[in-house]
């Protein structure tokens, strides 16, 4: 356990040091979401309708932004070789990496989302559901991303192919997440959508470390 | 006991890199792998580390077989490649202490001392010279108490004093019954023998490969 927590701490330290890019995802989320009123016009009623989808797509894209570095840096400097030979199973390692990714992208943007929801005129009663759905959903996004990152780790400039690979896999999370928020905004019961989202995220968290670990082992050989 | 490599073959991208390589390394000895570039020294080290799949042959270490019992095999080896596995943004001590926790080691101070890194402990790794980085990369070997050290060109970019220091570290490791498999072009004064990999030990590439693709 000590080894895993120290690896997560190392990833967090690296993210917050120079060139780590911890703030980039957050700034990207901010800008993408603030661009929408310029595109669809300042009508508050229209903004309220598109707010759930906008916030969720913004979250999705900013989670994607730093994915390609998840294993790439460790692969390039030889760290992944050493980790593969360590007593820590590759599956736990993938889970630790994905968790560190969520802590530096998903969690901060979940905290920022209510602030942006105000600018998009999202009804106040939907705020709790927005926070809950983003917190649960982005965890799944980070783990799905880990799977995508493990497949493209050996490729130079694999960022684009990673996006093409991972974005379709994000669709179910997007549907349930955005639906949860828009149901709450419309005064309906969003609990079913949130439960389905949570189930989906749990499934992703349980399955992807095994798939990603298998992919990484092939990449190292 | 010791390391036993028997008729090992290894294929990469359809090309046979190693063909029927056999060598033995008894406890307390080192084997220096020599041979021209591209002959398969690094491949052999990666294969023995279990990073590359073997296409034939076996590797056993103190009776543990790599193919059948990977986990206990890995608990007996320490590998250092030609990359140092260092994060430039972290300091020397931060780099090493992460590895100490990963390998469950309590020998951090001792390791810093042995590799003459104590004075550099708080220096960011990006500010270290190539030789200092190499020392930091090699220091990882000592953290975990492992019987077999697999080293790929350990003394590249090191000055004479540091080479002597590495030789002492290896000799101490061998003195406690350890083993080392070292790919090197440079002379390295450690107890043990040389094993020359020659291009002849590689079979020609599979002539039917293109038909099957």
């Amino acid at each position: 356990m000590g080894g895993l927590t120290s690896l997560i701490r190392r990833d967090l330290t690296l993210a917050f040091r120079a060139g780590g890019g911890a703030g980039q995802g957050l700034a990207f989320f901010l800008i993408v979401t603030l661009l929408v009123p310029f595109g669809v016009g300042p009508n508050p009623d229209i903004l309220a309708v598109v707010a759930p989808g906008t916030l969720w797509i913004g979250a999705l894209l900013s989670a994607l932004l730093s994915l390609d570095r998840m294993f790439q840096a460790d692969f390039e400097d030889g760290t992944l070789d050493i980790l593969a030979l360590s007593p820590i199973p590759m599956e736990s390692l993938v889970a630790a990496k994905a968790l560190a990714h969520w802590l530096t992208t998903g969690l901060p943007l979940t905290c920022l989302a209510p602030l942006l929801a105000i600018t998009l005129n999202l009804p106040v009663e939907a705020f709790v559901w927005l926070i809950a759905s983003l917190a649960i959903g982005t965890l799944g996004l980070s783990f799905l991303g880990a799977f995508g990152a493990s497949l493209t780790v050996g490729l130079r400039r694999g960022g684009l192919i990673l996006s093409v690979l991972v974005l379709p896999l994000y669709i179910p999370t997007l549907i349930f997440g955005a639906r949860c928020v828009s149901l709450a905004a419309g005064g309906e019961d969003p609990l079913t959508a949130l439960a389905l989202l949570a189930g989906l995220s749990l499934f992703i968290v349980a399955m992807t470390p095994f798939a990603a670990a298998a992919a990484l082992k092939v990449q190292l050989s | 006991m010791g390391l036993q490599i028997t008729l090992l073959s290894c294929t990469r991208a359809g090309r046979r890199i190693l063909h029927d390589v056999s060598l033995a390394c008894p406890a307390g000895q080192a084997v220096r792998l020599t041979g021209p570039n591209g002959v398969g020294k690094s491949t052999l080290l990666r294969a023995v580390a279990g990073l590359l799949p073997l296409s034939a042959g076996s590797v056993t270490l103190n009776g543990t077989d790599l193919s059948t019992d990977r986990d206990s095999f890995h608990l007996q080896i320490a590998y250092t490649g030609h990359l140092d596995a260092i994060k430039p943004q972290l300091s020397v001590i931060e780099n090493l202490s992460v590895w100490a926790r990963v390998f469950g080691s309590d020998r951090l101070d001792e390791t810093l001392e042995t590799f003459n890194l104590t004075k550099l402990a708080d220096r960011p790794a990006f500010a270290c010279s190539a030789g200092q980085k190499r020392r930091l990369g090699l220091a990882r070997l000592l953290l975990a108490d492992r019987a077999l050290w697999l080293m790929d060109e350990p003394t590249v970019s090191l000055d004479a004093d540091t080479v002597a220091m590495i030789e002492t570290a290896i000799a101490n490791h061998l003195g406690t019954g350890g083993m080392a498999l070292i790919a090197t072009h440079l002379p390295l004064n450690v107890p043990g023998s040389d094993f020359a990999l020659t291009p002849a030990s590689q079979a020609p590439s599979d002539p039917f490969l293109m038909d099957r693709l």
Side-chain angles (χ1 to χ4, degrees), chain A residues 2-3 6-7 9-10 13-14 17-18 73-79 81-88 217 220-221, chain B residues 12 46 49-53 74-75 77 79-80 83-87 89-91 94 98-99 101-103 140 146:
Chain A
S6 78
L7 280 175
R9 257 218 315 276
R10 184 204 67 163
T13 314
L14 287 174
R17 295 242 165 118
D74 283 350
F75 181 75
E76 282 167 2
D77 67 17
T79 301
D81 283 340
I82 311 300
L83 288 174
L85 303 175
S86 76
I88 298 176
K217 278 176 195 159
L220 285 178
S221 65
Chain B
R12 276 180 111 168
R46 289 181 72 84
L51 289 167
L52 289 179
H74 279 160
L75 287 176
I77 62 161
Y79 168 83
T80 167
L83 299 165
D84 290 324
I86 289 169
K87 295 294 171 195
Q89 303 95 318
L90 301 181
S91 70
E94 282 172 325
V98 170
W99 289 120
R101 296 234 181 75
V102 167
F103 288 104
R140 205 185 47 241
R146 300 289 154 92

